[in-house]
Amino acid sequence: MHKIKVSGLVVDVVRKNIKNLHLAVYPPVGRVRVAAPLRVSDEAVRLAVITRWAWIKRQQAKFSKQERQSEREYVTGESHYFQGQRYRLNVIYHDGPSRVSIRNHRNIDLVVREGSDTVQRERVLLTWYRQQLKLLIPPLISQWDATIGVKVSDWGVKHMKTKWGTCNVPAHRVWLNLELAKKPVQCLEYVLVHEMIHLLERHHNDRFATLMDGFLPSWRLYRDELNRAPLRHETWDY
Ligand SMILES: [Zn+2]
């Protein structure tokens, strides 16, 4: 096998005892490989690549999209969600403190040091998500403390693999999933109210549903929204 370059594209060429030239694009990165008959010259291979240029580019775009969706790399052009809206991520390299900001209602600018890796870029964005949740949660808790007539003594945000929220009833402590930063604020409020109602009723029974109906009549809407993009395994009923 040897490599040739066609307009900046690296192509692996294999000569084989075959009749026709075969061109293929392989996932995950869209590597291009040509199997050519023994007597076909590199010039003819080059021509075959150029003839199928548009198709090759389409295949590569398809693989790169699949890759991005399955695994976040925190690179420019990726879609990321914040408060239920989709944003385009822009990674900006800058020597100084890292920061995140929203621009024009469509962009999330992620400012990081040049050479920062995926893990570091992810950490900066997750820290920002956490800060945003921590701004939203206290006013919601004081409002719902008064409405429901309970007292949340302690609360926190953490990354949970299977739950949107939890409530430690004896300690009056509520935990909310960091992933909620990506969902509409109403979904965050629904999970919070759900956990706070556990302070009145531990179990997901008829009384629990009646309390939810009383305090947040449209809760089923937000539950369905969360179940559309569920965390691993868990579906919420209440
Ligand atoms: Zn529950």
Side-chain angles (χ1 to χ4, degrees):
M1 188 190 79
H2 71 288
K3 291 176 193 297
I4 61 167
K5 237 179 176 182
V6 185
S7 303
L9 179 74
V10 176
V11 178
D12 293 339
V13 182
V14 189
R15 289 251 156 43
K16 283 180 167 180
N17 190 12
I18 49 176
K19 270 196 161 154
N20 299 305
L21 184 146
H22 296 284
L23 193 156
V25 182
Y26 293 99
V29 292
R31 182 173 69 90
V32 181
R33 179 181 181 272
V34 173
L38 297 170
R39 60 188 151 66
V40 168
S41 68
D42 276 356
E43 223 24 70
V45 170
R46 199 179 301 275
L47 190 64
V49 170
I50 288 165
T51 307
R52 307 199 68 188
W53 190 260
W55 177 82
I56 292 167
K57 288 291 156 185
R58 273 203 306 279
Q59 294 301 107
Q60 288 186 326
K62 200 174 81 185
F63 293 140
S64 110
K65 197 172 161 214
Q66 283 168 356
E67 177 82 350
R68 275 209 301 277
Q69 277 166 358
S70 56
E71 218 174 300
R72 323 253 68 192
E73 290 179 86
Y74 301 89
V75 292
T76 293
E78 265 182 8
S79 289
H80 286 262
Y81 284 81
F82 174 58
Q83 295 187 353
Q85 279 212 62
R86 200 170 88 165
Y87 290 86
R88 181 183 190 273
L89 189 72
N90 292 303
V91 178
I92 299 158
Y93 293 114
H94 176 73
D95 223 14
S98 48
R99 60 184 168 81
V100 177
S101 55
I102 297 269
R103 187 167 45 81
N104 295 338
H105 308 287
R106 341 170 112 215
N107 299 281
I108 293 178
D109 288 342
L110 175 63
V111 179
V112 287
R113 278 175 193 281
E114 181 131 34
S116 69
D117 60 23
T118 307
V119 174
Q120 290 165 324
R121 294 196 298 271
E122 178 184 42
R123 196 181 300 137
V124 172
L125 192 61
L126 293 184
T127 300
W128 179 77
Y129 276 137
R130 189 181 293 269
Q131 287 164 351
Q132 300 306 308
L133 278 182
K134 290 195 164 186
L135 291 174
L136 286 171
I137 294 168
L140 284 173
I141 288 182
S142 42
Q143 180 201 325
W144 285 101
D145 267 353
T147 307
I148 302 173
V150 292
K151 181 89 194 87
V152 171
S153 314
D154 195 13
W155 60 274
V157 172
K158 64 178 168 182
H159 222 164
M160 291 182 270
K161 287 205 167 115
T162 61
K163 290 183 186 309
W164 290 112
T166 62
C167 181
N168 180 323
V169 175
H172 283 223
R173 184 190 304 123
V174 170
W175 286 104
L176 296 163
N177 196 324
L178 182 57
E179 287 291 307
L180 286 165
K182 300 173 186 174
K183 304 294 179 185
V185 177
Q186 292 90 337
C187 291
L188 166 70
E189 185 168 37
Y190 151 66
V191 173
L192 178 66
V193 171
H194 174 113
E195 299 308 339
M196 289 175 74
I197 283 178
H198 276 309
L199 298 173
L200 300 177
E201 173 56 59
R202 272 169 184 267
H203 304 287
H204 296 150
N205 52 22
D206 288 348
R207 181 166 176 258
F208 189 93
T210 304
L211 288 165
M212 285 298 292
D213 285 337
F215 289 117
L216 201 67
S218 47
W219 63 271
R220 287 176 185 83
L221 217 67
Y222 313 130
R223 173 201 62 188
D224 293 348
E225 171 75 27
L226 289 179
N227 285 339
R228 255 200 292 280
L231 295 165
R232 257 172 263 177
H233 315 307
E234 200 191 42
T235 302
W236 274 34
D237 299 319
Y238 288 97

